[in-house]
């Protein structure tokens, strides 16, 4: 093909979609077409899966051959957008095999352009996801017909039983209520049928996220999640945060990308309530608080007199003085070369050790810092500390490593950010190429114009830019090549057991292909087990990061690791 590297691409399904569907199945499918959609190449897996031979598909429009009738016009529209370089939406479609079985496929499209910028071909990579949009069977008693989840009454019965068991056994049980933000407006805007699609998809995501628990749809667009036998309130808070997070991905089953958010309210028996109805009430008021605070967040039942780390106001006040009191420190997690497993970089991660409450996770205080504007001070503190520590490692004669620092939306949008970074680089005599900044799609898209300029100025100074949590955002990958990126970090949700561990990592493969087409380095985040590592080995990643190699550790420990190397994997 006399074309240049592929240039722009459609957004693949988000991990939320993967979560909704539990797993990615089988090998990737691939089809190459001309700009009108006529098939020039279909890989053997696609032919095998569709039960068609090459003669039957060659030269035909691909969406007419490999998608069900109802989705063809939506796919054609998305395809035409890819061809013109405009922003396309996520694409999912059903592929029927030779035996009439349905396969749910998520497609990622990439165009190749010639020297004049005209599209010469489009490559679409498809992965099969299980479970999405399966035709509904007759509902069992107590089951919500639309989603197949437990209904309100069945859920309350179950909640009462669990509370009784928790009472007998002396353990805690958590209840999380989750509501989709601005649901009514969405349905009014997008029309009939949208609501049902959204509810079904989100029901799937919640079910996939909650390994041990009960998920129910208890009213219109409100879900309830019962987490029996939680060990600590912190575990329950983490789970509520995770539930809000998985709801956030774009809805892949709709023809247009829809950005959803949800709010959650958490209450724990016996700490917050003594009965099922009281627990529902407490979780309900926490939910209202989260929703009225702007949505897209979780709230726990407020602790008495604001004296627990769960209280946001307490956190806000304490955070103000935390840096001055030296409570905020920085830990580092190694990034290792995928081939040699040598440490070639570290990521700086903020840690808050509160004298009374102990370690508070960044997932809890970073959002507060972002909301209050404290993130600027905090971010600069982390940046300065990381650059100073890296200088100390260099001065100690250790092999140079890159140092990655996370940057939030507010930092990136601040007019003096680029100058602040430049000043710190100069003060710490940091050679160019040492510093990498990690930005999320959300942080960039918050003000894409300002962010694009800031990122360009930073790369001009030799600073690397990694796109963090890749695949969890809602923005269009077509814009990525304008962002002066140097690397992407594939979010660890793609490596969850049940996907990466036991299945071929087809989604990772598709994302690697996409990153390659944009000439970016690829990091896999959250590698925890040897099984995950083995399943990733054939995928051609550049770097790994995860607990398997090392947890985030203090600077002194990194210094030792750099001198002695990581212990061998067993
Ligand atoms: P992140 O940037 O995605 O950082 C990676 C997170 O994944 C870290 O969580 C790390 O401990 C965790 N992690 C690494 N390997 C594994 C693994 O194998 N398994 C699992 N389950 N987790 C793994 P951490 O330190 O709790 O940080 C959470 C988030 O807080 C970070 O996510 C980042 O978004 C934010 N954050 C941390 N420090 C800063 C900071 O200085 N500034 C800003 N703006 N955000 C920060
Ligand atoms: Ca990061
Ligand atoms: Ca990340």
């Amino acid at each position: 093909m006399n074309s240049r590297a592929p240039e722009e691409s459609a957004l693949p399904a988000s991990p939320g979609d993967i979560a909704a569907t539990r797993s990615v199945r089988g090998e990737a499918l691939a089809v190459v077409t001309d700009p009108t959609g006529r098939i020039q190449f279909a890989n053997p897996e696609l032919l095998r899966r569709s039960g068609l031979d090459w003669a039957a598909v060659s030269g035909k429009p691909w969406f007419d051959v490999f998608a069900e009738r109802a989705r063809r016009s939506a796919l054609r529209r998305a395809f035409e957008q890819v061809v013109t370089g405009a922003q396309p939406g996520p694409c999912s479609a059903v592929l029927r095999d030779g035996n009439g079985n349905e396969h749910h496929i998520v497609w990622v499209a990439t165009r190749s352009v010639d020297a004049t910028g005209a599209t010469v071909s489009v490559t679409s990579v498809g992965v099969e996801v299980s479970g999405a949009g399966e035709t509904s069977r007759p509902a069992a008693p107590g089951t919500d017909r639309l989603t197949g989840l437990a209904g309100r009454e069945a859920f309350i019965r179950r909640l009462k039983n669990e509370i009784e068991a928790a009472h007998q056994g002396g353990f805690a049980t958590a209840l999380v209520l989750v509501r989709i933000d601005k649901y009514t407006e969405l349905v009014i805007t997008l029309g009939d049928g949208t609501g049902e699609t959204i509810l079904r998809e989100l029901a799937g995501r919640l079910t996939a996220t909650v390994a041990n628990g009960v998920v129910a749809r208890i009213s219109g667009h409100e879900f309830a999640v019962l987490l029996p036998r939680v060990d600590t309130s912190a575990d329950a808070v983490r789970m509520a945060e995770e539930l809000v997070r998985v709801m956030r991905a774009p809805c892949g089953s709709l023809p247009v990308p829809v950005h959803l958010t949800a709010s959650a309210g958490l209450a724990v028996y016996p700490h917050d309530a003594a009965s099922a109805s009281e627990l529902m009430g407490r979780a309900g008021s926490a939910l209202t608080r989260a929703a009225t605070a702007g949505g897209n967040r979780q709230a726990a039942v407020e602790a008495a007199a604001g004296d627990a780390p769960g209280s946001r106001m307490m956190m806000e006040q304490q955070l103000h003085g935390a840096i001055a009191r030296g409570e905020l420190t920085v830990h580092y997690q190694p990034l290792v070369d995928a081939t040699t497993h040598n440490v070639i970089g570290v990521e700086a991660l903020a840690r808050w050790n509160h004298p009374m409450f102990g370690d508070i996770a960044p997932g809890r205080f970073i959002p507060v810092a972002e909301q209050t504007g404290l993130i600027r001070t905090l971010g600069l503190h982390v940046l300065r500390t990381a650059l100073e520590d890296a200088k100390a490692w260099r001065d100690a004669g250790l092999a140079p490593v890159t140092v990655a620092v996370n940057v939030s939306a507010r930092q990136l949008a601040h007019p003096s950010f680029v100058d602040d970074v430049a000043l710190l680089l100069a003060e710490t005599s940091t050679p160019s190429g040492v510093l990498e900044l990690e930005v999320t799609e959300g942080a960039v898209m918050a003000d894409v114009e300002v962010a694009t300029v800031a990122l360009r100025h930073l790369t001009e100074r030799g600073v690397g830019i990694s796109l963090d949590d890749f695949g969890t955002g809602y923005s269009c990958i077509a814009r990525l090549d304008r962002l002066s990126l140097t690397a992407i970090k594939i979010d660890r949700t793609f490596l969850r057991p049940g996907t990466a561990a036991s299945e071929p990592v087809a989604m990772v493969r598709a994302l690697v292909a996409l990153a390659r087409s944009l000439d970016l380095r690829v990091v896999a985040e959250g590698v925890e087990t040897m099984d995950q590592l083995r399943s990733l080995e054939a995928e051609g990643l550049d770097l790994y990061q995860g607990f398997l190699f090392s947890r985030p550790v203090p600077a002194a420990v990194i210094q030792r690791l750099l001198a002695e190397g990581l212990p061998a994997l067993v």
Side-chain angles (χ1 to χ4, degrees):
M1 223 180 296
N2 62 343
S3 58
R4 287 194 318 188
E7 187 206 36
E8 296 186 354
S9 10
L11 185 66
S14 59
D17 303 321
I18 302 305
T21 52
R22 279 188 187 281
S23 64
V24 171
R25 291 179 184 163
E27 297 201 1
L29 315 175
V31 55
V32 180
T33 63
D34 69 13
T36 66
R38 294 192 185 282
I39 299 168
Q40 296 174 326
F41 167 80
N43 76 340
E45 183 63 18
L46 178 55
L47 294 176
R48 194 186 63 72
R49 203 82 69 81
S50 59
L52 297 170
D53 61 23
W54 172 241
V57 305
S58 169
K60 304 259 169 60
W62 84 261
F63 12 77
D64 291 352
V65 178
F66 297 126
E68 84 275 28
R69 193 170 292 278
R71 294 284 296 144
R72 286 180 192 163
S73 55
L75 282 174
R76 185 183 285 275
R77 269 200 309 279
F79 179 86
E80 284 163 1
Q81 287 179 314
V82 174
V83 171
T84 58
Q87 184 171 333
C91 300
S92 59
V94 169
L95 174 74
R96 202 178 286 277
D97 68 19
N99 301 323
N101 298 321
E102 291 188 347
H103 301 268
H104 296 269
I105 311 292
V106 175
W107 291 98
V108 181
T110 312
R111 75 168 179 159
S112 296
V113 293
D114 63 17
T116 67
T119 301
V120 291
S121 68
V122 175
T123 303
S124 304
V125 178
V127 290
E128 178 170 5
V129 291
S130 62
E134 245 126 52
T135 38
S136 53
R137 296 174 189 86
T143 309
D144 169 40
R145 194 171 279 281
L146 180 66
T147 59
L149 298 175
R152 186 181 184 92
E153 280 168 28
F155 181 79
I156 292 188
R157 271 198 306 278
R158 182 70 191 271
L159 180 63
K160 284 183 176 155
N161 290 342
E162 284 302 333
I163 285 184
E164 184 55 35
H167 178 68
Q168 302 284 342
F171 42 77
T173 285
L175 169 68
V176 187
L177 297 181
V178 183
R179 191 160 64 210
I180 306 167
D181 295 327
K182 302 196 176 73
Y183 175 81
T184 316
E185 286 101 308
L186 264 177
V187 174
I188 291 170
T189 316
L190 295 169
D192 290 345
T194 319
E196 297 188 354
T197 309
I198 293 174
L199 290 170
R200 252 190 242 121
E201 178 160 335
L202 296 193
R205 287 186 203 178
L206 291 174
T207 314
T209 310
V210 179
N212 299 307
V214 184
V215 181
R217 178 171 164 240
I218 54 166
S219 68
H221 56 289
E222 192 169 317
F223 298 92
V225 177
L226 171 66
L227 305 168
R229 298 174 186 240
V230 289
D231 288 334
T232 64
S233 296
D235 289 343
V237 169
R238 261 196 298 282
M239 192 64 202
E241 281 164 356
E242 175 70 3
L243 293 174
V244 170
R245 210 175 73 80
V246 298
M247 301 287 272
R248 210 181 286 155
C251 193
S253 343
L254 294 171
V256 289
V258 173
H259 177 214
L260 300 169
T261 61
S263 304
L266 164 72
V268 182
Y269 171 89
H271 308 291
D272 304 322
S275 67
S277 58
E278 202 187 338
L279 199 64
M280 288 288 281
R282 303 295 308 261
S285 32
L287 171 61
T288 307
R289 237 188 8 264
T292 46
N296 193 16
R297 69 193 68 205
Q298 66 85 27
V301 166
E302 210 112 271
D307 60 355
S311 152
R312 216 196 94 146
M313 247 168 50
M314 183 285 310
M315 182 115 70
E316 213 173 300
Q317 283 159 8
Q318 296 283 313
L319 199 49
H320 269 285
I323 298 174
R325 291 192 301 269
E327 292 164 19
L328 273 180
T329 58
V330 181
H331 281 195
Y332 300 89
Q333 187 176 31
L335 278 90
V336 305
D337 181 286
T339 314
T340 62
H341 293 187
N342 288 338
V343 179
I344 60 118
V346 295
E347 176 175 0
L349 293 157
R351 295 286 177 265
W352 185 7
N353 186 259
H354 190 281
M356 268 166 70
F357 304 129
D359 290 334
I360 303 177
R364 304 199 59 207
F365 67 83
I366 295 283
V368 175
E370 277 168 357
Q371 284 150 24
T372 55
L374 269 173
I375 192 71
R376 262 205 83 218
T377 319
L378 189 154
L380 287 177
H381 171 72
V382 173
L383 185 60
R384 175 184 291 280
T385 310
L387 292 178
E388 283 171 352
D389 285 341
K391 179 168 170 27
W393 303 330
R394 283 196 302 279
D395 291 348
L398 298 166
V401 288
T402 58
V403 177
V405 177
N406 293 284
V407 174
S408 79
R410 269 177 104 141
Q411 287 175 272
L412 199 56
H414 198 278
S416 71
F417 181 65
V418 175
D419 291 340
D420 291 343
V421 174
L423 190 67
L424 285 173
L425 287 172
E427 278 178 21
T428 51
S429 322
T430 303
S432 93
V434 164
L435 178 63
E436 304 213 341
L437 295 176
E438 296 196 358
V439 295
T440 59
E441 286 168 75
V444 172
M445 294 307 156
D447 190 341
V448 71
E449 305 305 325
V450 170
T452 308
V453 174
L455 295 183
R456 203 183 56 238
H457 286 154
L458 289 161
T459 38
E460 280 165 9
R461 288 169 194 272
V463 175
I465 309 290
S466 304
L467 192 69
D468 207 352
D469 307 341
F470 185 62
T472 61
Y474 48 86
S475 64
C476 175
I477 288 175
R479 297 199 187 157
L480 294 189
D481 59 343
R482 280 165 234 161
L483 286 181
S484 322
L485 298 176
T486 42
I488 61 161
K489 302 185 77 174
I490 297 180
D491 190 72
R492 69 184 148 91
T493 43
F494 287 104
L495 271 62
R496 266 194 204 139
T499 52
S502 57
E503 307 274 346
V505 269
M507 204 66 205
V508 171
R509 191 169 307 156
L511 295 179
V512 171
L514 214 55
R516 289 281 172 254
S517 74
L518 297 167
D519 205 18
L520 302 173
R521 272 185 312 142
V522 196
V523 185
E525 291 190 304
V527 183
E528 289 182 356
T529 64
M530 282 301 287
D531 278 352
Q532 283 176 327
L533 181 65
R534 280 190 206 107
S535 67
L536 288 172
E537 260 160 2
E539 304 305 327
L541 291 136
D542 298 296
L543 300 171
Y544 298 129
Q545 179 180 1
F547 294 169
L548 178 66
F549 297 97
S550 168
R551 288 187 175 256
V553 290
V557 179
I558 283 290
Q559 185 154 353
R560 207 164 56 236
L561 283 180
L562 292 179
E564 295 167 9
L566 286 171
L569 296 176
V570 279

